[in-house]
Amino acid sequence: MTGRQSLFGVALDALTMDETVQRCLDAVRRAEQIEIGMVNAAKLVTMRRDPRLAEAVSGCDLVLADGQAVVWAGRVLGVRLPERVAGIDLFMRLLAAAETEQIPVYLLGAQQAVLEKMLHQISVRFPGLRVAGSRNGYFDDCDQEAIADAVRDSGARLLFLGMTSPKKEIFTAAHGKRTGAHVVHGVGGSFDILAGVTRRAPLIWQRMGLEWFYRTLQEPRRLGRRYLTTNAAFLAMTVRELIRRTPSAPSANRSH
């Protein structure tokens, strides 16, 4: 596996999408357990003030650059990240592979109505997919162990968590191994997108690193201030790190 690269003190796996998918399928074939952590600009900012989130992400077996801004920051700072590995794209690739190889999956997250819509869309897109079980993402902390046991009892080998941060990271850190799933992947709002509740940015917006802005246009009151604040903080983080890494020019000798 490709070595890890350090960015803002976080160890990231310098993998392409194809390499990541292969790593996940190898884990299933070898009956290994891997937990996937995804980071974008907002999460890297949040991790600096949320030690529990930082610990949960850093403890994952694979930590991937979910945001284009993370890849760009890496280039500026001399950290090699070959490409963005978007959580939703990895989700779709793994669903396709699971259908082909008959790998059972479990889908945990979202509101019940959204989950049902997504399950219908998945059944249309991947008719041969083995869905071992599903559950909405609204539960109390005291229910987490029982839910992890339900995933284990289902026989699922891939577990997808359609929950927001830091809930999905904390669940993964606390109960990922207990689920028995060989791959645990937190996919955030992907369930909403597949269900048709929210729209994903067009490809050109994604390539320009403006997916956050497209989401803001859909939910300006909820997301506008959050994204502006975190993006500004991420830019400041990058500038500070660039200054820290840039060697100072040697002082000229003066004769007295």
Side-chain angles (χ1 to χ4, degrees):
M1 187 176 76
T2 306
R4 283 189 156 182
Q5 302 283 329
S6 179
L7 183 65
F8 303 118
V10 179
L12 301 179
D13 290 278
L15 298 175
T16 65
M17 177 65 77
D18 287 344
E19 289 169 341
T20 303
V21 171
Q22 190 59 53
R23 178 71 181 86
C24 293
L25 295 179
D26 286 345
V28 174
R29 294 180 186 121
R30 297 169 184 168
E32 299 173 354
Q33 285 189 300
I34 62 172
E35 298 167 358
I36 300 175
M38 313 295 293
V39 295
N40 54 22
K43 191 178 295 184
L44 285 171
V45 170
T46 304
M47 285 168 64
R48 292 209 157 185
R49 58 175 181 261
D50 188 341
R52 193 177 180 191
L53 174 61
E55 182 181 2
V57 172
S58 298
C60 289
D61 303 285
L62 291 180
V63 183
L64 305 165
D66 179 42
Q68 188 62 46
V70 177
V71 177
W72 287 343
R75 290 175 185 169
V76 169
L77 298 172
V79 177
R80 180 194 169 273
L81 298 171
E83 65 181 10
R84 175 193 185 197
V85 181
I88 186 171
D89 294 333
L90 178 58
F91 179 30
M92 299 304 292
R93 287 283 301 271
L94 290 176
L95 286 179
E99 179 186 33
T100 299
E101 302 197 19
Q102 287 295 288
I103 301 169
V105 307
Y106 197 104
L107 300 141
L108 173 61
Q111 297 177 0
Q112 185 63 34
V114 172
L115 178 64
E116 290 173 2
K117 289 180 181 178
M118 185 202 64
L119 289 170
H120 172 71
Q121 293 299 325
I122 283 179
S123 70
V124 172
R125 190 174 301 191
F126 305 105
L129 182 67
R130 293 174 57 193
V131 177
S134 63
R135 192 198 188 285
N136 68 59
Y138 289 79
F139 49 83
D140 296 327
D141 289 348
C142 62
D143 296 325
Q144 292 190 16
E145 289 189 359
I147 291 170
D149 290 342
V151 176
R152 182 196 62 213
D153 294 343
S154 76
R157 294 294 169 255
L158 301 180
L159 169 61
F160 300 105
L161 304 175
M163 300 184 287
T164 58
S165 293
K167 187 174 182 178
K168 65 177 181 290
E169 288 86 2
I170 291 172
F171 180 88
T172 298
H175 305 295
K177 295 291 188 288
R178 187 182 182 115
T179 67
H182 293 152
V183 177
V184 181
H185 176 24
V187 299
S190 299
F191 286 14
D192 287 4
I193 293 173
L194 285 185
V197 175
T198 59
R199 298 188 306 277
R200 192 181 183 192
L203 188 58
I204 185 64
W205 289 59
Q206 297 174 40
R207 289 175 175 170
M208 293 172 64
L210 292 174
E211 199 162 4
W212 65 272
F213 185 57
Y214 190 86
R215 287 194 62 199
T216 300
L217 292 177
Q218 293 184 68
E219 299 181 79
R221 291 186 178 181
R222 188 174 75 88
L223 298 176
R225 184 176 180 181
R226 180 198 305 178
Y227 277 128
L228 289 175
T229 301
T230 55
N231 285 353
F234 184 75
L235 179 60
M237 280 171 53
T238 304
V239 171
R240 284 196 300 268
E241 184 67 12
L242 181 61
I243 293 172
R244 188 185 71 80
R245 293 186 181 210
T246 303
S248 301
S251 301
N253 292 327
R254 293 183 180 182
S255 59
H256 297 281

